Amino acid sequence: MSKSSASVTLGIIFGNWATVVGVGILVAFFALSVLAAWPPTYHLVARYPPDSLNFGAANASPSLAHLFGTDREGRDIFARVVAALPIDIAIPFEVVGASVAIGLVLGTFAGYLGGWIEELVLRVADLFFAFPNIVLALTIAAILGSTEESLRVVYSELALIVVGWPFYTRLARAQVITIKQMPFVRAAEASGLGKFRIVRTHVIPHLASVIAVYATLDMGTTLLLYSIFAFFGLGVAPPTPELGRMVYDGLSALPGNWWWSFFPGLVLMILALGFSLAGEGLRDVFDPRLRGQR
Amino acid sequence: MGLATYIARRVLFSFFVVIGELLIIFYLTNIAAPDPAVIWAGPESTKAQVALVALTYHLNSPWYVQFYYYIMNVFTGNWGTSPLYQQPVISLIEEYLPVTLELTIIAFVVKIGLEVILGVVSAMRPNGVVDNVIKVTYTTVRSAPPFLVALGFLLLFAYGTHTFPSSQPINPILGATVPKFQFYNPFAGKVTGFWLIDNMPMLNSLLVGDWAAFSSAVSHAVLPIATLILFGFGGIVRLVKVSMLEVLDQDYVRTARAKGLRENAVIFRHALRNSLLPAFTLMGLVFAGLVTGSLVVETVYSYYGLGYYVAQSLLTFDTPSLIGTLILITVVIIISNLVVDVGYGFLDPRTRVGY
């Protein structure tokens, strides 16, 4: 990217306060989760370990000592939220990353090769689109995870990938059928490059930006969807904290100990907001037609 | 190709969708699982129960025999017995479905109406103060997980101001009894004789004329409906706004203005109709979203509908219930998509070419 176009890009990103807020939220949460995930730096962000029981301080309301209060066993909710962040941020990355990888490969080759391969891939994707995807994913995760508690999170991620890939397959295929008509692809074909090589070095880089935009937007959605899985006990096995599960556990303490559910839910919302604001900022950069339409 | 052919093709495709889903589920429960009988009997079951389940579901036969019984049972309405409730899944669905259907249909209508109005208002002065306030509001609300909104309403309007009743907080250690509708008065009588209508708490009490039951049912439903409306809020606002701006640019709108029509007449009688078309394509997705949202919303409010039933089945790994409700939800969503697509053809004759 030349200097002038880079400055235009930065201008679009930072000229819009919403995008600045989104990027700011994400940077702050990433920094927080890196510090929390590494044991030597954990004490910098939280004062208590996430699962130390302290019945003397059970059900304490938010205060300076316990920023988000404590739960029924006296565990510090702020500490548990911070400890949950690395997991809850990593999971959308894994799910969206795998969905994009599958969709990119299937979609590009379907679009580029055409014929019966394209027809087959599209019909299967259509089939998956017609499913009530969240309910299907929850059912798959519950059936697979009913016996082994330790593997539930893996099965939940698999279920989300099962319902996530068709979108990227269609997106990639729709992009490729226009890209493959472009002169530079024709030129690569004329120079005798193999199909696999053309797709890898010429087609995929061309649609990377569009995919990146939708993947960022999807990250926030996946974060919220996965929190529903965790809410229903299909996430990481306890006592490892997870935001969605903390909300569910806290419901049993209502109406007294409201902070137990409230703060983990609020953190989920801020994080999802970060992904959605940053994603829409990215879209303004890469898709000028939609600029200013939100 | 005529409309009948189009519908027939869609129904055929829907049939394959259901079969495809059944294949995935069958593979997971009966082939991939290390012990299928435990999956079907539930993790809490005894050895004798597991053995009985293996016999009822023909789990000791070869896979193709299992598959035959599996498919036959689905299409004959024998959807198994829930290990949690010890009742046939189909009768549990009968009890829970009308409650959720009533809730989601009301939420659907109000949500669409509200989003369309906000979309039109946004388009009147794009980037004005009102437009920006609407934008900020729905961007924020969209990012809220459904349980957070439900929790907020519960704390504010039920535990805080006591405007609406708070149902009992949910009990994580589930009792084995089937929860009955607390505010539904079984002695209110039934007038229509239709199972679906007679089991909708609000509609039935209204038809019977039992005002106490009606006001109780409504007051229990207000917060769940409000939460469902805010779940995934804003998609239609944005779409209506964008298409409204496009339509307002067109010649026939300029003509309407030039002949001296008032602005309200231009917007509501001329522009709005055409700008609603793109939003109509989203309706199926919105309805599917509400069905998903009802899982969480009914759990938080202890509103005993289908969503609550699915949620309890997830929490206790009640496989027969999960599969039964999955098939049901798939069929409901397929039907709603079909209605939307056919309806779109009636509203916009240009798209009928593709039929």
Side-chain angles (χ1 to χ4, degrees):
Chain A
M1 199 179 278
S2 71
K3 199 187 170 189
S4 63
S5 80
S7 70
V8 168
T9 305
L10 288 177
I12 295 167
I13 290 179
F14 290 103
N16 186 328
W17 65 267
T19 314
V20 177
V21 171
V23 172
I25 291 173
L26 291 186
V27 169
F29 273 101
F30 287 160
L32 206 57
S33 69
V34 167
L35 290 177
W38 197 42
T41 54
Y42 177 81
H43 70 276
L44 291 176
V45 286
R47 207 187 290 178
Y48 310 91
D51 28 76
S52 75
L53 308 179
N54 177 6
F55 289 98
N59 292 320
S61 57
S63 63
L64 277 179
H66 298 283
L67 219 48
F68 290 173
T70 62
D71 65 14
R72 192 181 288 132
E73 275 97 33
R75 295 177 293 191
D76 182 56
I77 291 172
F78 183 77
R80 288 180 69 71
V81 166
V82 166
L85 277 180
I87 305 162
D88 279 316
I89 291 179
I91 283 169
F93 272 98
E94 290 163 15
V95 170
V96 174
S99 303
V100 165
I102 298 171
L104 203 56
V105 171
L106 286 179
T108 355
F109 279 100
Y112 189 74
L113 299 177
W116 67 269
I117 297 178
E118 185 180 21
E119 192 68 18
L120 180 72
V121 169
L122 282 182
R123 288 302 145 255
V124 175
D126 277 351
L127 202 66
F128 275 81
F129 257 111
F131 293 149
N133 48 16
I134 310 311
V135 184
L136 176 66
L138 283 166
T139 307
I140 291 176
I143 290 173
L144 287 173
S146 63
T147 41
E148 283 153 293
E149 196 177 22
S150 58
L151 287 176
R152 270 175 207 165
V153 57
V154 180
Y155 293 138
S156 294
E157 288 186 69
L158 277 178
L160 282 169
I161 295 167
V162 165
V163 300
W165 69 270
F167 173 74
Y168 293 100
T169 307
R170 279 215 204 165
L171 185 66
R173 182 244 166 205
Q175 294 286 317
V176 168
I177 52 174
T178 52
I179 293 172
K180 77 173 178 186
Q181 304 297 335
M182 288 183 178
F184 68 92
V185 177
R186 286 293 161 84
E189 279 167 358
S191 66
L193 286 182
K195 281 183 175 165
F196 187 72
R197 175 104 191 256
I198 293 176
V199 168
R200 192 165 52 87
T201 58
H202 295 278
V203 177
I204 288 186
H206 209 74
L207 54 93
S209 60
V210 177
I211 302 256
V213 170
Y214 283 97
T216 312
L217 287 170
D218 197 19
M219 215 83 86
T221 321
T222 309
L223 175 85
L224 293 181
L225 285 184
Y226 177 75
S227 77
I228 295 181
F229 282 69
F231 182 84
F232 286 126
L234 299 171
V236 180
T240 310
E242 243 182 332
L243 297 174
R245 190 63 192 176
M246 289 169 77
V247 176
Y248 181 84
D249 289 340
L251 290 179
S252 63
L254 287 179
N257 186 342
W258 54 269
W259 46 89
W260 186 357
S261 295
F262 179 72
F263 287 109
L266 190 68
V267 168
L268 271 173
M269 173 176 159
I270 296 171
L271 196 49
L273 190 65
F275 277 119
S276 112
L277 293 179
E280 293 192 356
L282 267 183
R283 185 172 60 191
D284 285 355
V285 174
F286 289 116
D287 199 345
R289 285 167 306 166
L290 293 171
R291 209 167 280 171
Q293 269 194 5
R294 45 178 151 152
Chain B
M1 191 164 52
L3 187 61
T5 329
Y6 174 72
I7 294 178
R9 267 177 56 150
R10 284 293 304 261
V11 171
L12 192 69
F13 177 72
S14 308
F15 183 74
F16 282 112
V17 170
V18 176
I19 294 287
E21 200 168 67
L22 289 175
L23 279 174
I24 296 175
I25 299 293
F26 176 78
Y27 177 76
L28 294 180
T29 53
N30 290 36
I31 296 177
D35 193 352
V38 175
I39 299 266
W40 284 99
E44 309 278 300
S45 51
T46 62
K47 275 229 157 59
Q49 281 169 327
V50 172
L52 184 70
V53 161
L55 208 65
T56 2
Y57 293 97
H58 305 271
L59 294 178
N60 299 323
S61 318
W63 69 267
Y64 47 87
V65 178
Q66 291 178 33
F67 188 67
Y68 170 78
Y69 284 109
Y70 175 84
I71 292 287
M72 287 311 283
N73 283 341
V74 166
F75 284 100
T76 51
N78 179 8
W79 290 3
T81 304
S82 156
L84 174 67
Y85 297 105
Q86 298 294 335
Q87 279 189 41
V89 170
I90 206 103
S91 71
L92 287 164
I93 286 176
E94 259 175 43
E95 183 170 352
Y96 287 122
L97 174 69
V99 180
T100 290
L101 219 50
E102 185 184 48
L103 200 70
T104 40
I105 288 173
I106 296 174
F108 180 77
V109 172
V110 179
K111 183 188 174 86
I112 302 284
L114 195 64
E115 292 205 35
V116 166
I117 292 171
L118 289 182
V120 173
V121 171
S122 302
M124 305 257 229
R125 286 211 193 350
N127 287 319
V129 180
V130 178
D131 179 31
N132 280 323
V133 169
I134 293 175
K135 223 184 294 181
V136 170
T137 310
Y138 75 65
T139 313
T140 318
V141 166
R142 274 179 87 76
S143 300
F147 38 74
L148 182 69
V149 178
L151 180 74
F153 282 161
L154 207 57
L155 291 172
L156 286 175
F157 302 116
Y159 297 128
T161 64
H162 298 284
T163 316
F164 297 105
S166 60
S167 303
Q168 285 298 303
I170 56 163
N171 181 3
I173 305 135
L174 194 82
T177 51
V178 181
K180 284 282 173 199
F181 235 69
Q182 297 156 327
F183 49 83
Y184 178 60
N185 179 1
F187 303 109
K190 299 167 189 299
V191 272
T192 60
F194 287 110
W195 147 77
L196 203 60
I197 294 174
D198 282 345
N199 287 295
M200 290 181 169
M202 283 179 271
L203 188 58
N204 188 48
S205 52
L206 183 69
L207 289 176
V208 172
D210 184 340
W211 298 110
F214 179 68
S215 74
S216 165
V218 169
S219 66
H220 275 85
V222 169
L223 292 183
I225 289 174
T227 312
L228 279 179
I229 289 171
L230 293 183
F231 179 56
F233 193 81
I236 293 189
V237 177
R238 177 147 62 182
L239 207 58
V240 167
K241 181 192 160 191
V242 169
S243 62
M244 192 78 185
L245 287 176
E246 256 165 41
V247 170
L248 285 177
D249 247 11
Q250 289 191 355
D251 289 342
Y252 77 94
V253 174
R254 200 182 322 142
T255 310
R257 282 197 178 123
K259 72 185 180 186
L261 280 188
R262 278 176 300 114
E263 187 64 16
N264 275 349
V266 173
I267 287 177
F268 289 104
R269 221 172 297 154
H270 292 258
L272 181 61
R273 289 190 190 180
N274 276 326
S275 61
L276 283 184
L277 283 172
F280 201 77
T281 53
L282 267 188
M283 304 275 165
L285 273 180
V286 170
F287 190 71
L290 288 178
V291 173
T292 311
S294 73
L295 263 65
V296 174
V297 169
E298 291 182 6
T299 306
V300 178
Y301 291 110
S302 303
Y303 196 86
Y304 299 134
L306 192 77
Y308 182 87
Y309 174 39
V310 177
Q312 294 310 316
S313 311
L314 284 170
L315 288 164
T316 56
F317 302 101
D318 179 344
T319 307
S321 297
L322 284 173
I323 295 174
T325 46
L326 176 68
I327 298 169
L328 179 85
I329 290 172
T330 310
V331 171
V332 168
I333 284 172
I334 284 172
I335 292 173
S336 74
N337 280 335
L338 189 64
V339 169
V340 166
D341 285 357
V342 173
Y344 196 76
F346 280 106
L347 290 180
D348 188 353
R350 286 171 298 184
T351 60
R352 274 183 229 166
V353 183
Y355 280 174

